[in-house]
């Protein structure tokens, strides 16, 4: 069997997690008062965003230990299975490096993929791995296909503020200041392993128009893969985005995924966006 391993930054849905042979390694969250939790579903996403709003300081995220990967790899080796590991972009987290260290220590055949993205962008790559596995491709072939496929994955989103990304060290202070003008909502894009400030709009209506504009600029949406709406704490924010994709772009096959603690720590509340695959 080919096992597919990812991390909690992928924010897989409950349906994804029901698929046999898919395992999630959780990242850690440490709050300002020193309490720690794993991003493993023991704290719901809504509970996390409530806590995020109540605390005066941002929590910290931590990558999994190599030991958490080694345990999975050893189980696979004992069963004679191969492993495909899909991690959050290594420019955003040390998770890839931890998995790489673990793979060097394990007897299992491990194929390691830096997704170069996160959240629902990472989940898209996991789902593609599952689809290719169902087609009967070998682990080596799936890994090679994913290395090409990941270059087509895009995430574009509106955030209320860049302060979370700036405080978390994921965005330069100068960029955060540009996006922090009064009444301005930044539009971010995630691709090639990095977060880019690609546009901005006055208020949420202006930011939505700017985000729609970016869908085309980032390469357009391949209808064969549909799209995934993503949000942090308010699902209702996805409604106008869904309407635009369905009515204006005539896209179907949409999913909705809530951002979890790992990514939510760095983007904060009020986020809405879309993950998609550009045409070949």
């Amino acid at each position: 069997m080919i096992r597919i391993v990812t991390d909690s930054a992928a924010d897989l849905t409950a349906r994804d997690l029901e698929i046999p042979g898919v395992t999630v390694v959780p990242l850690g969250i440490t709050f300002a008062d020193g309490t720690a939790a794993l991003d493993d579903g023991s704290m719901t996403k809504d509970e996390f965003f409530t806590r995020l709003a109540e605390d005066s300081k941002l929590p910290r995220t931590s990558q999994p230990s190599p030991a958490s990967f080694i345990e999975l790899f050893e189980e696979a080796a004992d069963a004679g299975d191969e492993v495909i590991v899909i991690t959050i972009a290594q420019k955003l987290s040390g998770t890839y490096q931890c998995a790489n260290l673990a793979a060097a220590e394990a007897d299992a055949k491990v194929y390691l993929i830096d997704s170069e993205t996160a959240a629902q962008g990472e989940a898209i790559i996991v789902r593609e791995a599952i689809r290719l596995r169902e087609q009967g491709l070998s682990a080596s072939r799936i890994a090679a296909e994913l290395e090409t496929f990941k270059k087509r994955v895009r995430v574009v989103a509106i955030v209320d503020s860049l302060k979370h990304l700036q405080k978390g060290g994921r965005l330069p202070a100068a960029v955060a200041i540009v996006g922090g003008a009064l009444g301005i909502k930044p539009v971010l894009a995630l691709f090639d392993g990095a977060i880019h400030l690609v546009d901005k709009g006055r208020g949420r209506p202006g930011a939505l128009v700017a985000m729609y504009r970016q869908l085309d600029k980032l390469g357009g949406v391949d209808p064969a893969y549909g799209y995934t709406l993503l949000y942090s704490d308010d699902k209702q924010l996805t409604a106008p985005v869904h309407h635009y994709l369905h009515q204006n772009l005539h896209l179907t096959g949409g999913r909705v995924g809530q951002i979890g603690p790992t990514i939510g720590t760095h983007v904060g509340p009020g986020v809405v966006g879309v993950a998609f695959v550009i045409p070949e």
Side-chain angles (χ1 to χ4, degrees), residues 44-229:
T44 70
K45 295 172 180 180
D46 287 333
E47 287 171 345
F48 167 77
F49 281 106
T50 297
R51 177 74 183 268
L52 186 67
E54 291 172 349
D55 286 358
S56 59
K57 293 184 179 180
L58 292 182
R60 301 189 313 274
T61 56
S62 56
Q63 64 212 31
S65 68
S68 59
F69 284 104
I70 289 175
E71 182 178 356
L72 292 174
F73 297 164
E74 288 178 344
E75 288 178 3
D78 291 343
D81 294 339
E82 295 180 295
V83 185
I84 296 172
V85 183
I86 301 164
T87 74
I88 181 176
Q90 63 174 318
K91 291 180 181 178
L92 302 178
S93 169
T95 302
Y96 176 92
Q97 185 59 27
C98 288
N100 195 35
L101 291 170
E105 297 293 327
D107 292 330
K109 184 63 177 178
V110 178
Y111 298 89
L112 190 55
I113 309 293
D114 170 8
S115 74
E116 298 186 2
T117 183
Q120 290 303 317
E122 189 178 348
I124 285 174
I125 298 172
V126 173
R127 294 185 193 110
E128 179 68 359
I130 294 167
R131 187 184 73 84
L132 294 172
R133 184 180 67 178
E134 290 173 348
Q135 290 185 350
L137 273 64
S138 66
S140 61
R141 177 70 184 279
I142 293 172
E145 292 284 338
L146 294 181
E147 287 291 349
T148 301
F149 178 76
K150 72 183 186 182
K151 298 295 185 181
R152 297 168 55 199
V153 176
R154 304 284 185 271
V155 178
V156 60
I158 299 166
V159 296
D160 266 353
S161 169
L162 296 176
K163 68 178 183 180
H164 293 79
L165 283 163
Q166 192 268 320
K167 288 181 178 179
R170 267 64 177 183
L171 206 64
V175 174
I177 291 171
V178 170
L182 186 64
I184 296 297
K185 301 286 187 186
V187 179
L188 305 178
L190 173 56
F191 58 91
D192 292 339
I195 298 168
H196 310 265
L197 176 61
V198 293
D199 212 331
K200 52 187 180 294
R202 185 163 298 281
R204 190 165 291 274
L208 284 169
V209 172
M211 185 173 74
Y212 301 152
R213 188 164 56 234
Q214 286 300 318
L215 291 174
D216 183 58
K217 288 186 177 181
L218 291 170
V221 181
D222 187 337
Y225 290 93
Y227 59 88
T228 305
L229 301 173

Side-chain angles (χ1 to χ4, degrees), residues 228-249:
T228 305
L229 301 173
L230 56 97
Y231 70 98
S232 54
D233 59 326
D234 187 355
K235 189 176 182 179
Q236 292 183 352
L237 295 178
T238 64
V241 185
H242 175 264
H243 183 272
Y244 176 82
L245 295 173
H246 185 65
Q247 298 295 326
N248 294 63
L249 300 187

Side-chain angles (χ1 to χ4, degrees), residues 16-63:
D16 296 326
L17 295 172
E18 292 174 355
I19 298 172
V22 176
T23 304
V24 176
V25 178
L27 278 76
I29 309 292
T30 303
F31 293 96
D33 63 2
T35 58
L38 290 176
D39 185 8
D40 60 359
S42 54
M43 170 182 278
T44 70
K45 295 172 180 180
D46 287 333
E47 287 171 345
F48 167 77
F49 281 106
T50 297
R51 177 74 183 268
L52 186 67
E54 291 172 349
D55 286 358
S56 59
K57 293 184 179 180
L58 292 182
R60 301 189 313 274
T61 56
S62 56
Q63 64 212 31

